[in-house]
mmCIF file with all atom_site columns, all heavy atoms in Angstrom:
data_model
loop_
_atom_site.group_PDB
_atom_site.id
_atom_site.type_symbol
_atom_site.label_atom_id
_atom_site.label_alt_id
_atom_site.label_comp_id
_atom_site.label_asym_id
_atom_site.label_entity_id
_atom_site.label_seq_id
_atom_site.pdbx_PDB_ins_code
_atom_site.Cartn_x
_atom_site.Cartn_y
_atom_site.Cartn_z
_atom_site.occupancy
_atom_site.B_iso_or_equiv
_atom_site.pdbx_formal_charge
_atom_site.auth_seq_id
_atom_site.auth_comp_id
_atom_site.auth_asym_id
_atom_site.auth_atom_id
_atom_site.pdbx_PDB_model_num
ATOM 1   N N   . PRO R 1 171 ? -22.038 -71.008 -6.968  1.00 95.00 ? 171 PRO R N   1
ATOM 2   C CA  . PRO R 1 171 ? -21.819 -72.067 -5.970  1.00 95.00 ? 171 PRO R CA  1
ATOM 3   C C   . PRO R 1 171 ? -21.109 -73.297 -6.522  1.00 95.00 ? 171 PRO R C   1
ATOM 4   O O   . PRO R 1 171 ? -20.572 -74.098 -5.755  1.00 95.00 ? 171 PRO R O   1
ATOM 5   C CB  . PRO R 1 171 ? -23.240 -72.410 -5.511  1.00 95.00 ? 171 PRO R CB  1
ATOM 6   C CG  . PRO R 1 171 ? -24.130 -71.951 -6.609  1.00 95.00 ? 171 PRO R CG  1
ATOM 7   C CD  . PRO R 1 171 ? -23.466 -70.759 -7.217  1.00 95.00 ? 171 PRO R CD  1
ATOM 8   N N   . ASP R 1 172 ? -21.081 -73.461 -7.839  1.00 96.00 ? 172 ASP R N   1
ATOM 9   C CA  . ASP R 1 172 ? -20.449 -74.621 -8.435  1.00 96.00 ? 172 ASP R CA  1
ATOM 10  C C   . ASP R 1 172 ? -19.002 -74.361 -8.879  1.00 96.00 ? 172 ASP R C   1
ATOM 11  O O   . ASP R 1 172 ? -18.336 -75.279 -9.369  1.00 96.00 ? 172 ASP R O   1
ATOM 12  C CB  . ASP R 1 172 ? -21.263 -75.106 -9.639  1.00 96.00 ? 172 ASP R CB  1
ATOM 13  C CG  . ASP R 1 172 ? -22.653 -75.591 -9.241  1.00 96.00 ? 172 ASP R CG  1
ATOM 14  O OD1 . ASP R 1 172 ? -22.763 -76.191 -8.155  1.00 96.00 ? 172 ASP R OD1 1
ATOM 15  O OD2 . ASP R 1 172 ? -23.604 -75.372 -10.014 1.00 96.00 ? 172 ASP R OD2 1
ATOM 16  N N   . SER R 1 173 ? -18.525 -73.129 -8.724  1.00 96.00 ? 173 SER R N   1
ATOM 17  C CA  . SER R 1 173 ? -17.157 -72.829 -9.142  1.00 96.00 ? 173 SER R CA  1
ATOM 18  C C   . SER R 1 173 ? -16.168 -73.404 -8.133  1.00 96.00 ? 173 SER R C   1
ATOM 19  O O   . SER R 1 173 ? -16.493 -73.628 -6.960  1.00 96.00 ? 173 SER R O   1
ATOM 20  C CB  . SER R 1 173 ? -16.956 -71.318 -9.271  1.00 96.00 ? 173 SER R CB  1
ATOM 21  O OG  . SER R 1 173 ? -16.941 -70.707 -7.984  1.00 96.00 ? 173 SER R OG  1
ATOM 22  N N   . SER R 1 174 ? -14.941 -73.647 -8.583  1.00 95.00 ? 174 SER R N   1
ATOM 23  C CA  . SER R 1 174 ? -13.907 -74.187 -7.690  1.00 95.00 ? 174 SER R CA  1
ATOM 24  C C   . SER R 1 174 ? -13.586 -73.205 -6.575  1.00 95.00 ? 174 SER R C   1
ATOM 25  O O   . SER R 1 174 ? -13.262 -73.619 -5.452  1.00 95.00 ? 174 SER R O   1
ATOM 26  C CB  . SER R 1 174 ? -12.649 -74.511 -8.494  1.00 95.00 ? 174 SER R CB  1
ATOM 27  O OG  . SER R 1 174 ? -12.180 -73.369 -9.184  1.00 95.00 ? 174 SER R OG  1
ATOM 28  N N   . ALA R 1 175 ? -13.688 -71.917 -6.863  1.00 96.00 ? 175 ALA R N   1
ATOM 29  C CA  . ALA R 1 175 ? -13.413 -70.902 -5.840  1.00 96.00 ? 175 ALA R CA  1
ATOM 30  C C   . ALA R 1 175 ? -14.468 -70.950 -4.735  1.00 96.00 ? 175 ALA R C   1
ATOM 31  O O   . ALA R 1 175 ? -14.136 -70.939 -3.542  1.00 96.00 ? 175 ALA R O   1
ATOM 32  C CB  . ALA R 1 175 ? -13.365 -69.512 -6.474  1.00 96.00 ? 175 ALA R CB  1
ATOM 33  N N   . SER R 1 176 ? -15.723 -71.010 -5.119  1.00 96.00 ? 176 SER R N   1
ATOM 34  C CA  . SER R 1 176 ? -16.800 -71.065 -4.128  1.00 96.00 ? 176 SER R CA  1
ATOM 35  C C   . SER R 1 176 ? -16.750 -72.346 -3.308  1.00 96.00 ? 176 SER R C   1
ATOM 36  O O   . SER R 1 176 ? -16.977 -72.338 -2.094  1.00 96.00 ? 176 SER R O   1
ATOM 37  C CB  . SER R 1 176 ? -18.165 -70.951 -4.813  1.00 96.00 ? 176 SER R CB  1
ATOM 38  O OG  . SER R 1 176 ? -18.403 -69.645 -5.281  1.00 96.00 ? 176 SER R OG  1
ATOM 39  N N   . LYS R 1 177 ? -16.452 -73.458 -3.970  1.00 96.00 ? 177 LYS R N   1
ATOM 40  C CA  . LYS R 1 177 ? -16.373 -74.732 -3.255  1.00 96.00 ? 177 LYS R CA  1
ATOM 41  C C   . LYS R 1 177 ? -15.248 -74.707 -2.221  1.00 96.00 ? 177 LYS R C   1
ATOM 42  O O   . LYS R 1 177 ? -15.393 -75.215 -1.106  1.00 96.00 ? 177 LYS R O   1
ATOM 43  C CB  . LYS R 1 177 ? -16.150 -75.869 -4.245  1.00 96.00 ? 177 LYS R CB  1
ATOM 44  C CG  . LYS R 1 177 ? -17.364 -76.187 -5.102  1.00 96.00 ? 177 LYS R CG  1
ATOM 45  C CD  . LYS R 1 177 ? -17.069 -77.327 -6.067  1.00 96.00 ? 177 LYS R CD  1
ATOM 46  C CE  . LYS R 1 177 ? -18.287 -77.655 -6.921  1.00 96.00 ? 177 LYS R CE  1
ATOM 47  N NZ  . LYS R 1 177 ? -17.999 -78.749 -7.894  1.00 96.00 ? 177 LYS R NZ  1
ATOM 48  N N   . ALA R 1 178 ? -14.112 -74.099 -2.574  1.00 96.00 ? 178 ALA R N   1
ATOM 49  C CA  . ALA R 1 178 ? -12.988 -74.027 -1.642  1.00 96.00 ? 178 ALA R CA  1
ATOM 50  C C   . ALA R 1 178 ? -13.355 -73.177 -0.429  1.00 96.00 ? 178 ALA R C   1
ATOM 51  O O   . ALA R 1 178 ? -13.031 -73.523 0.715   1.00 96.00 ? 178 ALA R O   1
ATOM 52  C CB  . ALA R 1 178 ? -11.769 -73.450 -2.345  1.00 96.00 ? 178 ALA R CB  1
ATOM 53  N N   . ILE R 1 179 ? -14.038 -72.064 -0.664  1.00 96.00 ? 179 ILE R N   1
ATOM 54  C CA  . ILE R 1 179 ? -14.458 -71.196 0.444   1.00 96.00 ? 179 ILE R CA  1
ATOM 55  C C   . ILE R 1 179 ? -15.436 -71.931 1.351   1.00 96.00 ? 179 ILE R C   1
ATOM 56  O O   . ILE R 1 179 ? -15.317 -71.902 2.584   1.00 96.00 ? 179 ILE R O   1
ATOM 57  C CB  . ILE R 1 179 ? -15.103 -69.907 -0.116  1.00 96.00 ? 179 ILE R CB  1
ATOM 58  C CG1 . ILE R 1 179 ? -14.076 -69.075 -0.878  1.00 96.00 ? 179 ILE R CG1 1
ATOM 59  C CG2 . ILE R 1 179 ? -15.713 -69.081 1.025   1.00 96.00 ? 179 ILE R CG2 1
ATOM 60  C CD1 . ILE R 1 179 ? -14.672 -67.897 -1.621  1.00 96.00 ? 179 ILE R CD1 1
ATOM 61  N N   . ARG R 1 180 ? -16.387 -72.602 0.743   1.00 96.00 ? 180 ARG R N   1
ATOM 62  C CA  . ARG R 1 180 ? -17.446 -73.271 1.497   1.00 96.00 ? 180 ARG R CA  1
ATOM 63  C C   . ARG R 1 180 ? -16.932 -74.496 2.260   1.00 96.00 ? 180 ARG R C   1
ATOM 64  O O   . ARG R 1 180 ? -17.300 -74.717 3.416   1.00 96.00 ? 180 ARG R O   1
ATOM 65  C CB  . ARG R 1 180 ? -18.564 -73.675 0.526   1.00 96.00 ? 180 ARG R CB  1
ATOM 66  C CG  . ARG R 1 180 ? -19.784 -74.295 1.172   1.00 96.00 ? 180 ARG R CG  1
ATOM 67  C CD  . ARG R 1 180 ? -20.917 -74.440 0.186   1.00 96.00 ? 180 ARG R CD  1
ATOM 68  N NE  . ARG R 1 180 ? -20.592 -75.298 -0.950  1.00 96.00 ? 180 ARG R NE  1
ATOM 69  C CZ  . ARG R 1 180 ? -20.405 -74.849 -2.197  1.00 96.00 ? 180 ARG R CZ  1
ATOM 70  N NH1 . ARG R 1 180 ? -20.496 -73.566 -2.459  1.00 96.00 ? 180 ARG R NH1 1
ATOM 71  N NH2 . ARG R 1 180 ? -20.134 -75.705 -3.187  1.00 96.00 ? 180 ARG R NH2 1
ATOM 72  N N   . GLU R 1 181 ? -16.104 -75.278 1.622   1.00 95.00 ? 181 GLU R N   1
ATOM 73  C CA  . GLU R 1 181 ? -15.683 -76.552 2.212   1.00 95.00 ? 181 GLU R CA  1
ATOM 74  C C   . GLU R 1 181 ? -14.448 -76.436 3.107   1.00 95.00 ? 181 GLU R C   1
ATOM 75  O O   . GLU R 1 181 ? -14.221 -77.307 3.952   1.00 95.00 ? 181 GLU R O   1
ATOM 76  C CB  . GLU R 1 181 ? -15.408 -77.560 1.088   1.00 95.00 ? 181 GLU R CB  1
ATOM 77  C CG  . GLU R 1 181 ? -16.646 -77.884 0.256   1.00 95.00 ? 181 GLU R CG  1
ATOM 78  C CD  . GLU R 1 181 ? -16.318 -78.736 -0.956  1.00 95.00 ? 181 GLU R CD  1
ATOM 79  O OE1 . GLU R 1 181 ? -15.118 -79.095 -1.124  1.00 95.00 ? 181 GLU R OE1 1
ATOM 80  O OE2 . GLU R 1 181 ? -17.247 -79.042 -1.741  1.00 95.00 ? 181 GLU R OE2 1
ATOM 81  N N   . ARG R 1 182 ? -13.679 -75.375 2.940   1.00 94.00 ? 182 ARG R N   1
ATOM 82  C CA  . ARG R 1 182 ? -12.416 -75.289 3.673   1.00 94.00 ? 182 ARG R CA  1
ATOM 83  C C   . ARG R 1 182 ? -12.316 -74.052 4.543   1.00 94.00 ? 182 ARG R C   1
ATOM 84  O O   . ARG R 1 182 ? -11.230 -73.645 4.947   1.00 94.00 ? 182 ARG R O   1
ATOM 85  C CB  . ARG R 1 182 ? -11.259 -75.358 2.684   1.00 94.00 ? 182 ARG R CB  1
ATOM 86  C CG  . ARG R 1 182 ? -11.262 -76.669 1.882   1.00 94.00 ? 182 ARG R CG  1
ATOM 87  C CD  . ARG R 1 182 ? -10.291 -76.652 0.731   1.00 94.00 ? 182 ARG R CD  1
ATOM 88  N NE  . ARG R 1 182 ? -8.928  -76.448 1.151   1.00 94.00 ? 182 ARG R NE  1
ATOM 89  C CZ  . ARG R 1 182 ? -7.909  -76.252 0.319   1.00 94.00 ? 182 ARG R CZ  1
ATOM 90  N NH1 . ARG R 1 182 ? -8.133  -76.245 -0.991  1.00 94.00 ? 182 ARG R NH1 1
ATOM 91  N NH2 . ARG R 1 182 ? -6.690  -76.077 0.785   1.00 94.00 ? 182 ARG R NH2 1
ATOM 92  N N   . GLY R 1 183 ? -13.446 -73.443 4.850   1.00 94.00 ? 183 GLY R N   1
ATOM 93  C CA  . GLY R 1 183 ? -13.462 -72.335 5.808   1.00 94.00 ? 183 GLY R CA  1
ATOM 94  C C   . GLY R 1 183 ? -12.832 -71.059 5.302   1.00 94.00 ? 183 GLY R C   1
ATOM 95  O O   . GLY R 1 183 ? -12.160 -70.352 6.070   1.00 94.00 ? 183 GLY R O   1
ATOM 96  N N   . GLY R 1 184 ? -13.019 -70.732 4.027   1.00 96.00 ? 184 GLY R N   1
ATOM 97  C CA  . GLY R 1 184 ? -12.462 -69.501 3.478   1.00 96.00 ? 184 GLY R CA  1
ATOM 98  C C   . GLY R 1 184 ? -12.997 -68.274 4.192   1.00 96.00 ? 184 GLY R C   1
ATOM 99  O O   . GLY R 1 184 ? -14.159 -68.219 4.581   1.00 96.00 ? 184 GLY R O   1
ATOM 100 N N   . LEU R 1 200 ? -7.833  -69.196 2.500   1.00 96.00 ? 200 LEU R N   1
ATOM 101 C CA  . LEU R 1 200 ? -8.080  -70.482 3.152   1.00 96.00 ? 200 LEU R CA  1
ATOM 102 C C   . LEU R 1 200 ? -7.114  -70.599 4.318   1.00 96.00 ? 200 LEU R C   1
ATOM 103 O O   . LEU R 1 200 ? -5.907  -70.422 4.138   1.00 96.00 ? 200 LEU R O   1
ATOM 104 C CB  . LEU R 1 200 ? -7.877  -71.639 2.174   1.00 96.00 ? 200 LEU R CB  1
ATOM 105 C CG  . LEU R 1 200 ? -8.732  -71.596 0.904   1.00 96.00 ? 200 LEU R CG  1
ATOM 106 C CD1 . LEU R 1 200 ? -8.439  -72.815 0.033   1.00 96.00 ? 200 LEU R CD1 1
ATOM 107 C CD2 . LEU R 1 200 ? -10.214 -71.522 1.239   1.00 96.00 ? 200 LEU R CD2 1
ATOM 108 N N   . PRO R 1 201 ? -7.620  -70.880 5.529   1.00 92.00 ? 201 PRO R N   1
ATOM 109 C CA  . PRO R 1 201 ? -6.764  -70.841 6.725   1.00 92.00 ? 201 PRO R CA  1
ATOM 110 C C   . PRO R 1 201 ? -5.733  -71.951 6.753   1.00 92.00 ? 201 PRO R C   1
ATOM 111 O O   . PRO R 1 201 ? -5.908  -73.012 6.146   1.00 92.00 ? 201 PRO R O   1
ATOM 112 C CB  . PRO R 1 201 ? -7.769  -70.988 7.867   1.00 92.00 ? 201 PRO R CB  1
ATOM 113 C CG  . PRO R 1 201 ? -8.918  -71.734 7.262   1.00 92.00 ? 201 PRO R CG  1
ATOM 114 C CD  . PRO R 1 201 ? -9.009  -71.263 5.841   1.00 92.00 ? 201 PRO R CD  1
#
Side-chain angles (χ1 to χ4, degrees):
D172 296 324
S173 71
S174 57
S176 288
K177 289 180 180 179
I179 295 172
R180 184 170 61 251
E181 297 172 1
R182 300 169 60 188
L200 303 181

